[in-house]
Amino acid sequence: MSNTFRSILLGTAVSVLCGQSGPDGFRSNRLQPIPVLMPPPAREPSELLAHLRYIALRKSLDHIQAVTPAELTGFYGNAWWFHNHAGQIDLVLTQDEIKAFGVEDVERRGYLASGVSKARLNAALKGDPLLFPEELKGPDPTKLDNLPGNKDPGQREDYLAASGPLLRGLFDSGFYRLLKGIPRDLWDEVEVIEIRKMSGNDLDRLVILGFRGNPILEMTARRKADLTYVLIYFHYLVYPKRLYSLSSTPTP
């Protein structure tokens, strides 16, 4: 999908959701039931939604590996995208989450920061320097949420660590970070609204999740050799803050 089309779709979906925000009567304040049973392996792309609900509502970090590739060779770019995209749409990790995923070293190197996103930092940098939040004074805006590349000699050591021993933690933490874009009390209204084949690729399926009939998130599901599906890509079609405006869940 082209960036231009994504921008149009993002704007359209936001406009539709804006029309639903209205008075507080449109807000969700229901208690979301926490799934008890772990979903079985997804044999259809649509069955991945149950896994996302399970991970998000139970905060089951370990279950992420049930719906992601077991072998991450060649997936560093996906981990890079997860964190870059999350940073752009102001989704963050807590210090406890950074520790749980084992990516403290990435934080130490300046590519992640607890409670801070690239969007939040950039917004503060454009504001009054006298009002600059104390918690935003540490992160480097050129590195935050922009994992190291293999072409910059100055980042070579960081890249080898991030794409090697730290890759699993980076992939899974980025995956979880993006799941936080859907408020807890809206998950039961999220549904699969479209599945289609990817052009020239029989293994992958484009899966679009919707909220109240409107597209909010596109994902790529990949079929494994055992004929079950895992997720390798996310892209929000609406800004998560728009979803949180319809929810009683505090913005992360």
Side-chain angles (χ1 to χ4, degrees):
M1 184 180 292
S2 70
N3 289 335
T4 300
F5 182 73
R6 282 175 175 155
S7 298
I8 294 172
L9 186 54
L10 175 62
T12 302
V14 168
S15 298
V16 173
L17 285 173
C18 282
Q20 295 182 353
S21 59
D24 287 345
F26 282 92
R27 289 176 179 267
S28 171
N29 57 9
R30 291 171 297 177
L31 292 176
Q32 191 75 190
I34 297 177
V36 176
L37 298 177
M38 184 182 299
R43 297 201 170 274
E44 296 292 340
S46 60
E47 295 174 2
L48 289 164
L49 176 57
H51 290 268
L52 298 185
R53 285 197 182 105
Y54 185 88
I55 294 165
L57 296 177
R58 291 187 64 90
K59 297 186 178 181
S60 179
L61 308 188
D62 292 341
H63 192 69
I64 292 172
Q65 293 189 31
V67 286
T68 54
E71 173 55 57
L72 291 177
T73 300
F75 284 99
Y76 177 71
N78 301 61
W80 180 94
W81 165 254
F82 288 167
H83 287 286
N84 187 267
H85 186 41
Q88 293 171 356
I89 56 178
D90 198 19
L91 297 175
V92 301
L93 292 170
T94 66
Q95 192 62 56
D96 286 344
E97 288 163 352
I98 287 175
K99 183 176 180 180
F101 285 110
V103 290
E104 301 100 315
D105 188 47
V106 183
E107 180 186 33
R108 181 182 62 79
R109 294 170 188 260
Y111 299 99
L112 295 176
S114 64
V116 182
S117 69
K118 193 174 190 69
R120 204 169 298 182
L121 179 58
N122 286 341
L125 289 170
K126 295 176 182 177
D128 187 341
L130 297 178
L131 300 177
F132 198 80
E134 191 66 33
E135 67 271 16
L136 299 182
K137 290 182 178 178
D140 179 347
T142 67
K143 296 174 70 175
L144 183 64
D145 296 331
N146 186 27
L147 297 181
N150 62 354
K151 295 182 180 180
D152 184 345
Q155 294 185 339
R156 182 65 179 170
E157 181 182 341
D158 293 346
Y159 170 75
L160 291 175
S163 62
L166 298 173
L167 179 54
R168 171 53 69 181
L170 279 172
F171 190 98
D172 291 356
S173 61
F175 183 108
Y176 186 71
R177 188 176 174 184
L178 287 173
L179 276 192
K180 295 169 79 172
I182 298 176
R184 290 177 60 84
D185 58 350
L186 299 189
W187 270 104
D188 71 337
E189 293 188 73
V190 174
E191 58 185 351
V192 175
I193 61 174
E194 184 177 357
I195 299 174
R196 63 175 183 261
K197 291 183 177 181
M198 306 285 280
S199 178
N201 185 343
D202 193 47
L203 294 179
D204 294 346
R205 297 291 184 270
L206 177 69
V207 181
I208 297 181
L209 298 186
F211 172 72
R212 297 177 183 171
N214 303 302
I216 61 169
L217 178 66
E218 67 176 16
M219 314 182 297
T220 300
R222 175 161 294 179
R223 189 175 72 243
K224 301 191 300 178
D226 65 359
L227 303 184
T228 63
Y229 284 85
V230 293
L231 288 163
I232 61 172
Y233 175 82
F234 291 99
H235 180 263
Y236 274 90
L237 304 174
V238 300
Y239 292 105
K241 283 187 177 179
R242 187 68 239 150
L243 295 173
Y244 276 89
S245 75
L246 305 172
S247 163
S248 60
T249 303
T251 304

